Amino acid sequence: MIKVAMTGVYVDDVAAAHAFYTDVLGFETRAHMDLGGGTLFVTVGAREGAQPDLQLLLEPGRGPVAEPYRRALYEAGIPCIVFSVDDLAAEYERLTGRGVRFTHEPQEQGPVLAAVFDDTCGNLVQLVQPKG
């Protein structure tokens, strides 16, 4: 069986993204290594044993591939990643209380409730909660 082990998101600044994804969103640090030359290898994941084998790599978003890709997604209003939550209303309140700027407030979108926020690192991120 093949499973997703790691996926990445390009960010403006790996250290700032690490702080946002852990301190604001509530992920835990899974790996944090200095590769030299100012390059960090940082992964985060869900806390409390949820999805222990799945990591999110915070990748440097500079370069001829990453920059146009990120800019195009952001300008089109397309989230670069989707996270699931058990209670979207509660997460929306918690995150707005921590200063997170939502570009789309919670709303129904087919089989889910969804909201989109700016991760302060150059990306839009979507939160979804299954309806029902």
Side-chain angles (χ1 to χ4, degrees):
M1 170 190 345
I2 297 175
K3 300 186 313 182
V4 177
M6 183 182 301
T7 189
V9 61
Y10 291 118
V11 296
D12 292 336
D13 178 313
V14 173
H18 180 235
F20 180 83
Y21 279 73
T22 55
D23 298 342
V24 177
L25 296 185
F27 285 99
E28 67 182 12
T29 303
R30 299 280 179 82
H32 191 285
M33 295 178 271
D34 185 341
L35 301 178
T39 302
L40 294 174
F41 178 86
V42 177
T43 67
V44 297
R47 288 191 183 276
E48 301 171 12
Q51 298 178 305
D53 58 346
L54 180 58
Q55 299 181 72
L56 177 64
L57 173 62
L58 303 174
E59 298 190 69
R62 305 280 184 233
V65 173
E67 288 181 44
Y69 169 75
R70 292 175 60 228
R71 185 174 43 255
L73 285 178
Y74 195 92
E75 289 173 359
I78 299 171
C80 70
I81 195 161
V82 178
F83 298 133
S84 65
V85 297
D86 294 327
D87 184 341
L88 183 59
E91 284 299 322
Y92 176 79
E93 290 302 317
R94 182 181 77 83
L95 293 175
T96 55
R98 300 197 75 161
V100 174
R101 184 180 70 82
F102 279 79
T103 60
H104 295 286
E105 295 181 359
Q107 59 188 322
E108 289 189 24
Q109 290 185 344
V112 299
L113 301 173
V116 177
F117 66 86
D118 185 314
D119 77 351
T120 73
C121 304
N123 302 294
L124 298 175
V125 175
Q126 186 173 47
L127 298 178
V128 298
Q129 172 191 338
K131 290 192 302 190

